[in-house]
Amino acid sequence: MLHKTILMSIKPKYVEKILKGEKTAEFRRSMYSSIKKGDQVFIYSSSPQKALVGKFIIDEIINDTVENLWKLKGKEGCISYEEFMNYYDGISSGHCLVLKEIITYSAPIKLEELRSQIVNFRVPQSCRYLRPDEIEIFFKIPIASSSKKSLDTIIRY
């Protein structure tokens, strides 16, 4: 199976929990149908941080009703029931990405630096696929020594 490489914008308060290993479920109102288990996701921490901070692999994708998503993964999503229901307001179903192999970069890569290294770099509102030139640069980013894997053991997709 050919895996894709994705850039995903996530709010800083959730990014912090993901990088600490506390948050292992990421909820989405909508998502590309071509995103699959095994795809690699680079984490962009949105405003005010505005930086590339790490990555993870999608272990599972759950597409279900909002109520079932809460029952299945609410706790792992590190979100209150009220915030969860407000996020999904107006729709009856959604998506949940189950995360694995979470890796933190040794230092965040600020938006200005990304734009200086990558022609026409743009941050997605939610997520987008990365271009080959972006992937090449992203794979050169050093990871934190506390991360479980070294860059040499990461599979390139």
Side-chain angles (χ1 to χ4, degrees):
M1 178 192 298
L2 183 63
H3 295 286
K4 297 188 176 10
T5 307
I6 300 156
L7 176 62
M8 185 173 287
S9 293
I10 302 175
K11 291 181 179 180
K13 69 178 183 177
Y14 298 122
V15 167
E16 182 179 343
K17 292 177 186 289
I18 289 170
L19 297 179
K20 287 181 179 177
E22 298 168 7
K23 179 176 167 61
T24 57
E26 173 64 17
F27 298 108
R28 294 283 147 163
R29 288 175 56 99
S30 63
M31 193 174 67
Y32 297 125
S33 61
S34 57
I35 293 177
K36 302 288 183 227
K37 176 180 177 172
D39 287 351
Q40 185 161 219
V41 178
F42 285 86
I43 305 166
Y44 179 82
S45 183
S46 61
S47 187
Q49 189 175 19
K50 297 182 182 179
L52 191 66
V53 295
K55 58 186 171 179
F56 61 83
I57 301 293
I58 299 172
D59 189 36
E60 179 184 4
I61 299 173
I62 303 168
N63 305 304
D64 211 329
T65 65
V66 170
E67 283 298 328
N68 281 343
L69 288 177
W70 176 256
K71 289 175 191 171
L72 293 168
K73 293 293 177 183
K75 190 174 195 174
E76 291 94 332
C78 293
I79 186 172
S80 71
Y81 181 75
E82 183 180 352
E83 286 176 300
F84 179 85
M85 294 309 288
N86 285 339
Y87 178 69
Y88 283 110
D89 187 42
I91 59 174
S92 59
S93 63
H95 315 278
C96 175
L97 303 177
V98 179
L99 320 180
K100 70 175 184 176
E101 298 181 35
I102 299 164
I103 292 176
T104 304
Y105 291 141
S106 57
I109 313 299
K110 293 288 188 184
L111 178 59
E112 299 79 28
E113 186 176 343
L114 290 168
R115 287 189 170 148
S116 72
Q117 292 184 37
I118 302 170
V119 176
N120 297 321
F121 181 79
R122 65 175 183 80
V123 175
Q125 181 71 26
S126 177
C127 67
R128 70 173 177 84
Y129 295 112
L130 289 173
R131 301 183 318 253
D133 63 313
E134 294 170 318
I135 293 169
E136 185 177 330
I137 290 170
F138 282 24
F139 271 108
K140 293 178 182 174
I141 300 169
I143 60 173
S145 58
S146 62
S147 292
K148 294 179 184 172
K149 293 185 173 266
S150 70
L151 267 181
D152 295 336
T153 62
I154 306 260
I155 299 169
R156 291 189 180 209
Y157 297 107

